[in-house]
Amino acid sequence: MQKYVSKLSEFDTQNAIALLKDKFSSELCDSLDLSRVSAPLFVKKGSGINDDLNGTERPVEFDIRETGEVAEVVHSLAKWKRMALMRYEFPIHTGLYTDMNAIRRDEICDNIHSLYVDQWDWEKVITAEDRTQDYLKSTVRSIYGAILRTASFIKEKYPAVSPELPERIGFVTTYELEEKYPQLTPKERENAVAKELGAVFIMQIGGRLKSGEKHDGRAPDYDDWTLNGDIVVYNRVIDSAFELSSMGIRVDRDSLVKQLKAENAENRLDFEFHRLLMSGALPLTIGGGVGQSRLCMFLLEKAHIGEVQVSIWPEKEILKCKQNGITLL
């Protein structure tokens, strides 16, 4: 993180964030035929609805005086959204989006990671025939188009900012990346391909590569590891790969059982969400999340996520920002 001067004042930044969020949410809805719904900030502990991310992160939990139950602040809404599509009886090829807010207490804070997470979380009903790489790629292109249109809109409103994005997004699997860059770590591979292509969808995350290692962790019970991925761009301000979205076609019964078995997590089949999925009650879906602060940081060319969101930072991070001319909100 090198010293830099923000291209927007704090006042202009706040106005730009509001415009950007309104514009992108509208573009996302139009691109994917989504309707906005309200979503929970917390769910019951032990329900199986909360996303366990990489399986090691501890959710924030609290007891409820009225009921005696324990609730967990959500990590994401990956499973809840699918249940909501069932409950609200969304037609095929339509879906929902919501503003998801979460607390990730175990996050290591730096210029792109915070304890506070905000996303446009979305989910869409699909058919069995849609569970293909072609359909996944088509959806990625639709989301990337919404990002490009939002970038053009912000550039017009604030000519001082000019984030660089290619007209088309590239596609590569984690297996291809390992083969191409066998001596690099997964993050170094992402940096290399993002710098080469400008924007790329890195596919098939969660399973083990030929080396026996994983590119990155994914919970075994929402994305199908053969039909998922991350939208990653090259962020020239911080000279690094920069993830904007994690998404994928969700597990069906076969892939759920296969992935739970691979992670020795078959006990989850007793949870409500998993029982509904195995019974065929839940619709087949595709879904994901687009980071709100991440997109604002990238399109407004900020060096630190704390310039576009309010959070709590360790003293060493605050000092680093002061030394580099970065003003945290």
Side-chain angles (χ1 to χ4, degrees):
M1 185 167 54
Q2 297 180 349
K3 192 166 185 176
Y4 94 122
V5 177
S6 174
K7 294 185 177 181
L8 297 179
S9 68
E10 289 183 67
F11 181 83
D12 284 341
T13 295
Q14 292 295 330
N15 287 327
I17 289 170
L19 289 172
L20 191 159
K21 288 186 175 182
D22 285 345
K23 175 64 173 177
F24 181 75
S25 59
S26 175
E27 291 288 350
L28 184 68
C29 285
D30 290 345
S31 296
L32 300 182
D33 198 2
L34 307 177
S35 301
R36 191 188 185 284
V37 301
S38 299
L41 176 61
F42 45 84
V43 295
K44 289 182 182 180
K45 183 177 182 178
S47 65
I49 297 174
N50 204 359
D51 176 7
D52 68 346
L53 303 177
N54 290 320
T56 58
E57 295 87 348
R58 302 170 299 155
V60 174
E61 60 180 53
F62 59 93
D63 63 292
I64 305 170
R65 178 189 295 178
E66 185 75 9
T67 67
E69 296 171 302
V70 176
E72 296 178 341
V73 176
V74 296
H75 275 148
S76 86
L77 297 171
K79 297 167 188 167
W80 178 88
K81 291 178 296 181
R82 196 165 175 180
M83 295 178 71
L85 290 174
M86 174 190 69
R87 176 179 177 181
Y88 300 142
E89 298 181 340
F90 272 74
I92 291 172
H93 294 146
T94 68
L96 60 83
Y97 95 94
T98 190
D99 294 295
M100 189 281 291
N101 298 286
I103 301 170
R104 295 185 181 171
R105 64 194 290 188
D106 292 325
E107 196 71 77
I108 303 300
C109 297
D110 56 25
N111 64 316
I112 63 173
H113 297 96
S114 168
L115 302 178
Y116 172 66
V117 177
D118 52 351
Q119 291 185 163
W120 290 282
D121 243 337
W122 64 275
E123 198 84 10
K124 183 174 179 177
V125 181
I126 62 174
T127 67
E129 290 71 29
D130 294 325
R131 300 189 80 258
T132 65
Q133 278 200 11
D134 285 344
Y135 188 85
L136 175 64
K137 289 180 178 180
S138 175
T139 304
V140 169
R141 292 188 185 101
S142 294
I143 296 171
Y144 187 68
I147 293 172
L148 288 179
R149 291 189 291 276
T150 303
S152 296
F153 171 79
I154 290 299
K155 285 181 187 179
E156 183 178 339
K157 295 289 184 181
Y158 298 94
V161 298
S162 55
E164 293 182 359
L165 287 168
E167 291 186 9
R168 293 179 177 82
I169 187 169
F171 295 88
V172 66
T173 69
T174 56
Y175 301 92
E176 291 169 337
L177 281 182
E178 183 184 54
E179 189 171 305
K180 185 173 183 179
Y181 305 110
Q183 304 305 318
L184 301 184
T185 67
K187 290 305 176 187
E188 289 170 341
R189 293 169 198 157
E190 290 190 5
N191 286 336
V193 73
K195 199 163 188 176
E196 176 189 351
L197 299 179
V200 60
F201 187 63
I202 299 175
M203 300 186 292
Q204 299 181 1
I205 300 173
R208 297 194 179 276
L209 305 173
K210 288 182 180 179
S211 63
E213 302 296 320
K214 292 186 176 186
H215 180 84
D216 199 359
R218 282 293 187 277
D221 45 9
Y222 61 95
D223 280 352
D224 184 324
W225 292 342
T226 67
L227 294 167
N228 70 348
D230 292 341
I231 295 177
V232 177
V233 296
Y234 173 64
N235 188 325
R236 62 179 179 174
V237 176
I238 61 174
D239 187 27
S240 175
F242 193 68
E243 180 189 322
L244 293 178
S245 174
S246 176
M247 58 173 285
I249 290 173
R250 306 308 196 186
V251 289
D252 58 9
R253 282 178 286 194
D254 291 342
S255 54
L256 173 66
V257 172
K258 180 181 178 181
Q259 291 177 186
L260 287 177
K261 187 174 182 180
E263 297 297 293
N264 295 315
E266 292 166 283
N267 61 302
R268 296 188 192 182
L269 291 171
D270 293 330
F271 292 147
E272 177 189 8
F273 170 84
H274 303 73
R275 291 199 308 268
L276 287 170
L277 199 159
M278 292 300 293
S279 72
L282 293 179
L284 297 174
T285 64
I286 183 173
V290 181
Q292 294 190 11
S293 292
R294 284 288 184 98
L295 188 62
C296 290
M297 179 183 166
F298 179 74
L299 293 185
L300 301 181
E301 295 190 284
K302 299 292 188 177
H304 200 290
I305 200 165
E307 295 178 89
V308 295
Q309 64 157 241
V310 178
S311 186
I312 294 175
W313 303 97
E315 193 60 38
K316 63 180 181 179
E317 191 67 19
I318 295 172
L319 178 60
K320 186 192 297 184
C321 289
K322 286 182 178 179
Q323 293 171 341
N324 288 278
I326 294 169
T327 302
L328 299 174
L329 297 182

